[in-house]
Amino acid sequence: MSSTINQQFLPPRELLVSWLARLYRHGLTTTTGGNLSILDDENNFFITPSGGDKAIVPPENVAFRKKGEKQFQGPLAPSMEWPLHTAAYKARPEDCRAVLHAHSISLVAFSMTQCLDIQNSQHFREQGKKRKHDEKDDCVIIDPRVPDTRCLLSAWQSCGQVALVPYCLPGSMKLAEECQKAFETGATCVILQNHGVVTIGKTLHEAYDRFVSLEYLAKSIVHSITLESVPKPLPLSILQHSCNNNKKQSSILGEEHFLPGAINLCPSSVIYYQRGRIITSKEKEDRKSLCNFVRRAYKQNLITSSSGSFSCRLEHEYRSSMDNKDGLSFLITPTNVDRNAIQSSDLCLISNEIECSHHNDGN
């Protein structure tokens, strides 16, 4: 079964504690720091409890508040940051169903950076130098307490421009109000000065992916600075082009479409398999091996939950003729699938050797 489907059927409490443990396991928060919340399909509010060891929170300790009620239920008090989570949901009712707050090392380092004069800081003296006329739109002032997502395309696509909230006491209504204002501007990631970061998403996976993408970017920028080099953002034209391509790809993959060069994207779902395409034992073995490599790379922090692509060329068993020297069939990782939980059925098959179009089954 697909990893995405598995997540959809997990009870809310189990879903929260599994993602919280994952944060801790990858060194992205402290033993007692960080909190997650979700809204279920009935708009009931689930949030991790206050205190305790984040690596081993029992599901029954997750706090719960029914839609329209003010009191939480559960054996432990909710996280002290519940006002912040509530404010995020209020600010973005259409696209916020999960909130993540954590204190990862690189992002906390950014949040502590002093910036008395942004315009005259070394970082912006370098970036603010006069450029050619066609590059003027790239001269955007970014607060150095916030990682510049323009430096990595994956961070830009996942996070967009990041917002900054001035220091407020943790758990305070003032912090919640400031975060709400930040999310209302359209930001999906907010740096809390001298504190940490908050990310939102339609799912916990999306909120987590934004968080790890931003932490990876922050860590990369910190390393580039130790090399006495100012991080160079990508040109605005490239960023805009990548966003347009993403939208186009989503539109293409939602329809029956044949890719250029007669290389067709074949559905990998169990439903498609039942329609007649024979999956050989060798392909099943290749799928399993490829998934194992992906998960290993993730556990070694070589890729994030949604970045990195792996592929595996299949043997020539699908060729209709041995004279077809241009035949090509290979498996490749899909977009928007959690690399830590990827399953064999999630992989995409791309081929110009077999018929990959959808069969007309009358539906």
Side-chain angles (χ1 to χ4, degrees), residues 253 257 259 262-269 272-273 277-280 283 286-287 290 310-315 317-318 328-334 344-357:
L253 297 182
H257 184 82
L259 300 178
I263 299 179
N264 306 329
L265 179 62
C266 302
S268 292
S269 68
Y272 181 77
Y273 292 155
R277 186 173 81 79
I278 297 174
I279 309 173
T280 66
E283 181 185 336
D286 288 339
R287 285 176 176 269
L290 190 57
F310 293 68
S311 66
C312 169
R313 185 165 187 165
L314 297 177
E315 297 294 338
E317 55 202 270
Y318 291 120
L328 175 64
S329 294
F330 64 95
L331 300 169
I332 190 168
T333 46
S344 294
S345 58
D346 293 325
L347 298 174
C348 295
L349 168 64
I350 296 181
S351 176
N352 65 355
E353 301 179 282
I354 59 176
E355 178 59 48
C356 297
S357 59

Side-chain angles (χ1 to χ4, degrees), residues 17-38:
V17 300
S18 67
W19 282 100
L20 188 61
R22 185 167 167 181
L23 274 177
Y24 178 79
R25 192 165 59 246
H26 286 275
L28 296 171
T29 196
T30 59
T31 304
T32 58
N35 37 81
L36 304 174
S37 73
I38 56 172

Side-chain angles (χ1 to χ4, degrees), residues 44-238:
N44 297 313
F45 181 29
F46 293 82
I47 187 168
T48 49
S50 179
D53 187 341
K54 304 305 181 185
I56 50 173
V57 176
E60 59 269 20
N61 285 355
V62 170
F64 164 71
R65 186 177 66 188
K66 288 185 178 180
K67 178 184 177 181
E69 294 187 358
K70 296 183 179 180
Q71 297 297 320
F72 284 93
Q73 302 176 27
L76 298 178
S79 166
M80 66 182 295
E81 298 290 8
W82 69 263
L84 184 158
H85 290 248
T86 303
Y89 293 124
K90 184 177 180 181
R92 302 285 284 277
E94 299 299 323
D95 62 350
C96 178
R97 307 291 297 180
V99 179
L100 182 155
H101 169 49
H103 317 110
S104 55
I105 294 175
S106 300
L107 289 173
V108 169
F110 263 86
S111 78
M112 297 190 303
T113 303
Q114 293 190 45
C115 184
L116 301 179
D117 187 351
I118 295 175
Q119 297 286 349
N120 292 322
S121 68
Q122 172 65 24
H123 181 78
F124 290 106
R125 283 204 303 274
E126 293 291 334
Q127 289 195 25
K129 290 179 179 178
K130 189 173 181 180
R131 301 180 183 183
K132 296 179 181 179
H133 177 73
D134 60 354
E135 294 181 349
K136 284 184 178 179
D137 288 341
D138 295 338
C139 299
V140 179
I141 297 298
I142 304 292
D143 192 311
R145 292 167 292 184
V146 173
D148 188 349
T149 52
R150 298 174 303 163
C151 292
L152 280 180
L153 192 58
S154 58
W156 174 264
Q157 292 172 334
S158 178
C159 306
Q161 192 160 327
V162 181
L164 174 73
V165 163
Y167 183 78
C168 303
L169 285 175
S172 66
M173 292 304 299
K174 178 63 175 175
L175 178 60
E177 291 168 2
E178 292 296 328
C179 284
Q180 181 172 336
K181 292 176 185 177
F183 284 123
E184 285 174 346
T185 67
T188 58
C189 305
V190 177
I191 299 293
L192 312 181
Q193 185 180 351
N194 290 78
H195 185 168
V197 63
V198 184
T199 62
I200 63 173
K202 294 180 181 178
T203 62
L204 274 173
H205 182 204
E206 186 173 50
Y208 179 87
D209 178 55
R210 284 170 173 157
F211 168 61
V212 294
S213 296
L214 197 60
E215 171 64 13
Y216 181 84
L217 168 67
K219 187 182 296 185
S220 300
I221 291 176
V222 169
H223 282 299
S224 74
I225 292 173
T226 63
L227 298 174
E228 298 184 355
S229 172
V230 177
K232 181 180 179 181
L234 294 168
L236 184 61
S237 58
I238 291 179

